[in-house]
Amino acid sequence: MSIITTLTRMWLTRSAKPFTFTNEYDERLNYESCENLGLYVHIPFCQSICNFCPYCKTVYSREAADAYIDTLLDEIHLVGRSSHKKKEVTSLYFGGGTPALVSDRIKEIIDTINKYFIITEGIGVELHPDNVTVPLLKELKEAGVTKISIGIQSFSEKYQGILGRKKVDTETITKALSEVHFETVSMDFIFALPEQTFEDLKSDIDLAFAGGANHIAIYPFIDFTFTKSSVKAMKKSEKRKLLDNITNYCIDKGYSRSSIWTFSSEKDARYSSMTRDNFLGFGCSATTLTRDSFKINTFSVEEYIKRIKDKKLPTSLTIRFSLRQRMVYYLFWTAYSTRVRAEDFEKFFGVPLKKVYGFELLLMKRLGFITDENGVYSMTLKGAFYYHYYENFYTLSYIDKMWGIMRKEAFPKEIRL
């Protein structure tokens, strides 16, 4: 499997040099000149651990959570004080874990961030279905949250059982969402589960929009090697048919497609912490992307706290990009939105997209993966599926390996991908 991603990397970077992450870290993050900068905060606590979830998380206790949040605030101060003025950023997203477990401290975190950053496009928080109650939603809204994302995964009891989740209380969720309004209410679902049909997903989509959502995200099931999930992956042909049917159904209903996996019933409803040119990550396992480097904080809550107490950044691994490597990273994640603008690429890198990847663009057009309209390259249904298909290889070849190691070692010496 890794041979596909390796050959692609070598071709697109025009080099046999691997992506090499080392345990070096900087004294400060150079983000002042970064444009289209987003912020992410990771809250790793959960009441229980889902067996399919690959993210950095740990079982919640009030004492551990408070110690972590105190440290998180110190990290924000450590990074923010290194800049001479407030930095304008696009957005702030809270992920996890289950951020709602520390809902009483979300405002404190936001207020601290506001000391150093100016947020222009809103604040989002991920929620477990059990979190969607009127008191908690009011608490988040009063803290400044404008977007929420609810991890439904499936309304079907059959698939909830497969994923180890309990029945979703749709009545309580719908009532709460009708009483407390947010700019974006997103609901997350998983597709490509065993024997899952288009009718199953269509039912989930319809229930979501009828129940208060104006945005949905339908992510493919990916079987990480380090999780305890026993769910079997769906065949490629079945998966493609399912993805095409989902996409066509949403488009026929008049929903806007804002990324490979997301659709909205309202034009301005957006929820994505990924499609940013640059971003800063706070908390354990959070990542930071700047123009010339990518950094990952340690996955260990204990070591994260120790690092911050020593007034050092909690960076576990860093890669210093070559120009071509940075271009590949830019294109991969920008394409997540289903389109790449040549004008934006040239503005970011100072070189025309066609000059760098003209052959590849022509090939993708010939294969029916993309269309080109005045320098805006948009994915076709076929292209979107193969993007997903390649992302699956990328995830299992790169992210699975890296996260698997980082879950065991707080500060690995080096990882080559």
Side-chain angles (χ1 to χ4, degrees), residues 131-361:
N131 305 145
V132 188
T133 63
V134 170
L136 191 137
L137 294 184
K138 285 183 176 179
E139 185 175 40
L140 292 179
K141 190 160 187 177
E142 289 169 4
V145 174
T146 59
K147 310 167 188 272
I148 59 172
S149 175
I150 308 167
I152 301 291
Q153 316 310 348
S154 176
F155 284 119
S156 165
E157 289 187 50
K158 173 183 176 181
Y159 297 111
Q160 290 163 3
I162 288 174
L163 295 169
R165 302 285 291 265
K166 66 179 185 179
K167 183 179 179 180
V168 176
D169 186 347
T170 54
E171 185 176 338
T172 297
I173 291 175
T174 301
K175 183 176 184 299
L177 293 176
S178 69
E179 291 190 33
V180 187
H181 299 278
F182 291 89
E183 174 187 308
T184 298
V185 175
S186 183
M187 292 187 185
D188 286 1
F189 299 94
I190 294 179
F191 86 92
L193 293 169
E195 300 179 14
Q196 194 174 34
T197 68
F198 167 63
E199 289 301 321
D200 293 326
L201 285 162
K202 178 178 174 294
S203 175
D204 282 341
I205 292 168
D206 291 343
L207 281 170
F209 285 121
N214 59 7
H215 182 279
I216 59 168
I218 307 178
Y219 299 105
F221 174 78
I222 298 178
D223 185 17
F224 287 86
T225 60
F226 52 78
T227 64
K228 297 179 180 179
S229 174
S230 59
V231 179
K232 293 182 179 180
M234 181 178 282
K235 291 180 180 179
K236 174 185 171 183
S237 59
E238 295 175 8
K239 191 182 292 187
R240 178 173 180 182
K241 183 178 179 182
L242 202 52
L243 180 59
D244 286 353
N245 285 338
I246 294 166
T247 303
N248 284 325
Y249 177 72
C250 289
I251 291 173
D252 289 345
K253 294 284 286 187
Y255 302 144
S256 300
R257 188 180 199 178
S258 51
S259 78
I260 294 291
W261 321 122
T262 60
F263 300 89
S264 58
S265 59
E266 297 175 11
K267 185 178 178 182
D268 295 328
R270 293 284 186 274
Y271 198 100
S272 175
S273 59
M274 293 164 42
T275 50
R276 301 288 181 268
D277 291 346
N278 308 281
F279 46 83
L280 297 180
F282 299 103
C284 62
S285 80
T287 58
T288 290
L289 174 68
T290 59
R291 184 174 181 83
D292 58 4
S293 68
F294 182 77
K295 300 172 180 293
I296 311 170
N297 286 353
T298 179
F299 273 48
S300 167
V301 173
E302 294 76 15
E303 293 300 324
Y304 167 78
I305 291 173
K306 287 180 184 178
R307 263 282 178 86
I308 299 299
K309 281 185 177 179
D310 290 338
K311 299 191 182 306
K312 295 179 180 179
L313 295 176
T315 309
S316 177
L317 291 169
T318 299
I319 180 173
R320 309 291 184 187
F321 289 120
S322 69
L323 180 59
R324 284 273 186 171
Q325 287 177 334
R326 185 63 175 92
M327 287 177 174
V328 170
Y329 199 95
Y330 174 95
L331 290 171
F332 184 81
W333 288 111
T334 302
Y336 180 85
S337 69
T338 73
R339 59 187 58 86
V340 173
R341 300 178 187 277
E343 181 182 359
D344 294 341
F345 181 92
E346 185 168 357
K347 181 181 178 181
F348 193 91
F349 292 104
V351 59
L353 177 58
K354 275 189 176 181
K355 184 176 181 179
V356 185
Y357 291 116
F359 172 77
E360 288 82 1
L361 291 170

